[in-house]
Amino acid sequence: MRDQTVISIVKAFRMRTPIGKPTALLAVPLAAGALVASGVPASAASSASTATTAVTAPAASTASTASTSAKAASAPVRIQVSYPYGVRRGRVVSFKVTLVNKLKTKTDEIFLAVKFPKNVTKTRIYVPRGTNYHEHCTRERTRALCVLPGLKKGRSYTFWAKAQVSGSASGKLYGYFGGAVTDTSLNTDPRELLSEFGDSIGWVKTKSSITR
C-alpha cells in the first residue's frame, strides 16, 4: 500500500509538456506537396508522392489562436512527419518522423507515440543505421511507443515509423503522431506514459489513400 502511495506521488509531480498539437497549417506548392506549421518543410521521405507536416506544439488548450501561437513558439520540441499520399494494401508504408529541440538547453526525456487506429497488422519504430539514440520502444500491432533521452541544444532525432498495411485494407490510412517532454526515467514503460498523459497529447494526423 505504501509503495502504491509513493508511485501516485511521483506521478503527481512528474512534469511534462505535451508535443504534437498543430497550431496552424500552410499549404505549400512543392513538388512533393507539403503542410507546414513553422520553418522550412522537411524533404520528402522517398521519390513517391509525399506530404510533410511540421508541427510545433504546446500543451492542449482552448485558448485563442494568438495565445496558442505564443505557446507554440516556446514549445521545447517540434515534430516533423513526412508521409505518402497513397499506400498499397499488403505493403509496408514508411513515415519519416523528426523531433527537433527548440530550446537553448537540453530537454528532459522525450516520449513519442505513433498510432494507427486500423488497417495495419504491425507497427515498428526504426532508427537510421549508425545512430545511438538509446531508445526504449514497444512493438505492437497498431502502435509503437518510445522513451528517449533528452535532446541537446540544436540536436534532433530522426526515425522511420513503419506499418504493415493489411491485405484487406481499403479507404484511408490514418496515422497519429504525438508525445511529450517529461522528467521520467528511460526505463519507464511507454505504455504507462500514454495512459498517464491521456487527452493532454495533441496528435499530428496524417491521411493516406489505400490502393490495390
Side-chain angles (χ1 to χ4, degrees), residues 69-110:
S69 298
K71 291 182 180 180
S74 61
V77 172
R78 180 180 67 196
I79 297 181
Q80 294 178 173
V81 181
S82 295
Y83 63 98
Y85 283 126
V87 300
R88 290 188 177 184
R89 62 186 184 186
R91 303 288 185 88
V92 174
V93 58
S94 297
F95 299 77
K96 185 178 180 181
V97 182
T98 302
L99 305 177
V100 183
N101 180 9
K102 295 183 63 63
L103 299 180
K104 295 182 179 180
T105 59
K106 183 178 179 180
T107 71
D108 285 328
E109 285 68 29
I110 298 174

Side-chain angles (χ1 to χ4, degrees), residues 5-85:
T5 302
V6 171
I7 292 174
S8 298
I9 293 175
V10 170
K11 287 185 176 181
F13 286 90
R14 180 178 290 160
M15 299 180 63
R16 68 265 192 177
T17 305
I19 57 178
K21 183 179 180 181
T23 56
L25 297 178
L26 172 66
V28 179
L30 301 180
L35 292 176
V36 300
S38 61
V40 180
S43 59
S46 66
S47 58
S49 179
T50 62
T52 301
T53 301
V55 177
T56 303
S61 174
T62 57
S64 65
T65 301
S67 176
T68 301
S69 298
K71 291 182 180 180
S74 61
V77 172
R78 180 180 67 196
I79 297 181
Q80 294 178 173
V81 181
S82 295
Y83 63 98
Y85 283 126

